[in-house]
Amino acid sequence: MRYHNQRDRRKSRPADLRIFIGADHRGYRLKNKVSEYLTEQGYRAIDVGTHRKDISCDYPQFSYQVAKGVADNKGARGILVCLTGIGHSIAANKVPGVRAALCYNKQAAVLSRSHNDANVLIVGSKFVSQKEIMEIVRVWLKTSFAGGRHVRRLRQIGEIEKKIKT
């Protein structure tokens, strides 16, 4: 794990907010760009890997590390990048307490936070450019959960998780 710490440059983006970030070899380049962006914005980016783009690797280990980091650290968020994002979505959502959302545009990112209180953002490098992912990350981080009728739905998801655990 690599920690990227920097002092808080903006009060609206607390340096103590942990953002776990990971990718396989197909998301390596964008992951590094996002990690740099997070650090520049004053966030505490925790890079779980991969740390090499030249070696093929399996995404589930990174999905799990990011999801577990989010589940174990109240208020933490996670970001995962791979070719399509589909595999990361499947793997990360296996961890109780994780609400991972695959987003290919800003509108999906906003809705994933405001309606679903998503705590892990997943992006497919095949479908978004570097500029687009930065915008997706930016709006995802600044969007708050709307509450209201969506709280009831999140409770229902929590009940499903409890049934699966037993």
Side-chain angles (χ1 to χ4, degrees):
M1 237 180 261
R2 294 184 183 171
Y3 291 83
H4 300 279
N5 292 310
Q6 201 162 1
R7 67 180 171 79
D8 188 353
R9 292 184 182 165
R10 296 182 178 186
K11 291 186 189 223
S12 63
R13 293 179 175 90
D16 60 343
L17 174 61
R18 293 179 181 171
I19 302 176
F20 294 84
I21 186 165
D24 65 2
H25 59 287
R26 298 300 294 267
Y28 173 84
R29 185 183 63 78
L30 281 179
K31 176 202 56 126
N32 286 348
K33 293 294 183 184
V34 170
S35 187
E36 288 172 18
Y37 169 78
L38 294 171
T39 301
E40 288 169 4
Q41 296 302 307
Y43 292 103
R44 183 176 178 200
I46 303 166
D47 186 341
V48 303
T50 188
H51 301 294
R52 296 190 59 182
K53 67 178 178 183
D54 57 335
I55 297 176
S56 179
C57 59
D58 298 329
Y59 63 84
Q61 63 182 314
F62 305 112
S63 306
Y64 177 73
Q65 288 177 20
V66 167
K68 184 81 168 122
V70 169
D72 289 348
N73 293 277
K74 185 177 178 153
R77 303 258 191 102
I79 299 173
L80 289 161
V81 186
C82 66
L83 183 66
T84 66
I86 297 167
H88 273 316
S89 296
I90 293 167
N93 277 311
K94 300 290 185 192
V95 177
V98 169
R99 294 174 305 282
L102 175 57
C103 300
Y104 289 146
N105 59 50
K106 291 189 302 185
Q107 183 179 13
V110 167
L111 292 171
S112 78
R113 288 285 307 133
S114 64
H115 288 195
N116 307 111
D117 199 18
N119 51 14
V120 176
L121 171 67
I122 302 174
V123 183
S125 65
K126 182 178 179 81
F127 304 109
V128 297
S129 67
Q130 181 178 324
K131 181 180 177 185
E132 290 168 326
I133 194 172
M134 295 309 178
E135 279 299 301
I136 290 168
V137 168
R138 185 186 64 75
V139 300
W140 186 77
L141 287 170
K142 78 172 193 171
T143 303
S144 299
F145 178 52
R149 69 185 187 277
H150 306 294
V151 172
R152 180 179 73 247
R153 296 165 184 162
L154 288 183
R155 282 193 195 119
Q156 292 170 9
I157 292 169
E159 290 301 315
I160 292 169
E161 283 183 344
K162 287 178 188 172
K163 289 177 187 177
I164 293 170
K165 283 184 184 178
T166 59

